[in-house]
Amino acid sequence: MLAFTVATRDPDSAVSVALAVGSGAAAVGALAALAFVAVATRGLKRGAARGAAAGRGLRRGATVGSVAGLLALLRALDGLTVVTVLFVIAPFLVAEVVLSMRRA
C-alpha cells in the first residue's frame, strides 16, 4: 500500500500523507510483532504459556507500530521535537511496564 501511494499520489496532498504514514506504521508494527512473537515463542511448546507469549509479542508490535505512526505524523506536521517525542513515547513505556508486571 505504501509503494502504491508513493508511486501514484501527489506528495503534497493530505490524503497521500495520511495513507503513507498509516501504511508505513502498519508495516512497521506487523514486522515488529512478527519479530517479537518469534523471539517470545522460540523455546515454548504448545499451551497457555505459548499463547500468552504470543499475545505479549502482538501487543508490543502494535505499540511499536503506534509509536512509529505518531512520530511519522509529527514529522509530517513539523511538530517533531525532543519534548514531543518524550510525551509520545512515555505513555507507551509506562503502559508496557504496567502490563508486564507479574503478580507477587
Side-chain angles (χ1 to χ4, degrees), residues 19-34:
L19 283 172
V21 168
S23 59
V28 167
L31 290 174
L34 179 69

Side-chain angles (χ1 to χ4, degrees), residues 28-99:
V28 167
L31 290 174
L34 179 69
F36 284 132
V37 169
V39 168
T41 60
R42 182 175 34 198
L44 299 175
K45 301 291 183 199
R46 294 182 184 181
R50 184 175 174 91
R56 284 190 301 273
L58 290 173
R59 182 188 72 226
R60 290 176 180 153
T63 300
V64 169
S66 298
V67 169
L70 288 171
L71 292 178
L73 184 62
L74 284 172
R75 175 66 184 106
L77 298 174
D78 290 330
L80 188 65
T81 64
V82 174
V83 175
T84 58
V85 168
L86 291 175
F87 275 104
V88 166
I89 293 177
F92 288 101
L93 290 177
V94 170
E96 183 60 36
V97 168
V98 169
L99 291 172

